[in-house]
């Protein structure tokens, strides 16, 4: 988890078109029929582009961008090759709250979504944390220890900032946690347990990054996250 916000996403966020009222549209709900249809359309266009050009239609990002936020679909490339006629209604480029991304780009690119509303809230929190560090000589607004090198984010030290954010997977509120370096993340533990339960799993290989269970079973990627391993009979956040 290094530099979190690319220039592209900063531009999106600062345009000021997002607001909490957008939630009422239920665009981000993963059981929306329209969402599945949109993804199928974009997936077909991506497959065609890949077959023709040998590379996926992605925007250039910094090498150290987190894996699930790294490969943004470049709709301009798809449109230039007439592989898509209309940008999906839930895409940010068309006024929606979803950023279309690709996973598995080295093998078989697969279209997924990143929830921009929760992403925006995390950007704002990270700014507040960075300001806190500047004012307190590098100290971080940490709460209780949750894993090695990770703590709950203490919102009382940030002028009462809310430190729970609605999950893109459900209506659960996820805790915001902070690494000792000052980088924040969402704690996806509750969603991981649900995903594993649905698959009838009570444990997992310690080598597996548990986030793959979320990615494989849902439309959304777990943005603002660190890897998770199965340690001491539970999902445990890890630095790598």
């Amino acid at each position: 988890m290094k530099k979190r916000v690319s220039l592209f996403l900063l531009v999106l966020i600062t345009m000021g078109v997002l607001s909490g009222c957008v939630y009422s549209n239920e665009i981000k709900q993963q059981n929306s029929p329209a969402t599945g249809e949109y993804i199928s359309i974009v997936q077909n266009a991506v497959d065609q582009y890949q077959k023709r050009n040998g590379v996926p239609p992605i925007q250039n990002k910094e090498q150290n961008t987190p894996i699930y936020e790294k490969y943004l679909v470049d709709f301009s490339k798809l449109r230039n090759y007439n592989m898509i006629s209309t940008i999906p209604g839930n895409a940010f480029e068309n006024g929606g709250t979803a950023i279309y991304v690709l996973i598995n780009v080295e093998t078989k690119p697969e279209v997924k979504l990143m929830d921009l509303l929760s992403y925006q809230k995390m950007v704002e929190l990270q700014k507040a944390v960075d300001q806190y560090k500047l004012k307190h000589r590098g100290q971080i607004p940490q709460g209780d220890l949750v894993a090695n090198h990770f703590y709950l984010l203490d919102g009382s030290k940030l002028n009462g900032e809310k430190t729970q954010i609605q999950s893109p997977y459900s209506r659960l509120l996820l805790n915001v946690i902070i690494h000792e370096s000052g980088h924040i993340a969402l704690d996806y533990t509750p969603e991981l347990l649900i995903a594993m339960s649905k698959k009838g799993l009570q444990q997992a290989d310690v080598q597996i990054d548990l986030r793959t269970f979320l990615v494989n079973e849902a439309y959304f990627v777990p943005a603002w996250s660190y890897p998770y391993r199965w340690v001491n009979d539970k999902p445990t956040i890890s630095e790598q």
Side-chain angles (χ1 to χ4, degrees), residues 77-93:
K77 292 179 179 178
L78 295 177
R79 298 191 74 174
N80 288 342
Y81 280 89
N82 295 316
M83 292 176 176
I84 194 168
S85 58
T86 304
I87 295 176
N90 67 342
F92 174 84
E93 293 87 343

Side-chain angles (χ1 to χ4, degrees), residues 135-202:
K135 291 180 180 179
H136 296 83
R137 299 181 179 180
Q139 294 183 28
I140 61 173
Q142 67 188 61
D144 294 336
L145 181 72
V146 294
N148 289 338
H149 312 294
F150 292 93
Y151 303 84
L152 286 174
L153 181 64
D154 188 346
S156 67
K157 297 177 181 178
L158 299 174
N159 298 319
E161 290 277 3
K162 293 182 179 179
T163 56
Q164 288 188 318
I165 291 178
Q166 189 175 34
S167 169
Y169 298 98
S170 67
R171 294 188 178 277
L172 289 176
L173 292 177
L174 303 180
N175 289 327
V176 179
I177 53 182
I178 185 168
H179 183 260
E180 61 185 15
S181 66
H183 293 294
I184 63 172
L186 281 171
D187 185 1
Y188 286 94
T189 298
E191 296 290 11
L192 292 170
L193 290 171
I194 292 172
M196 291 179 65
S197 176
K198 287 181 178 179
K199 296 180 69 67
L201 297 175
Q202 297 182 345

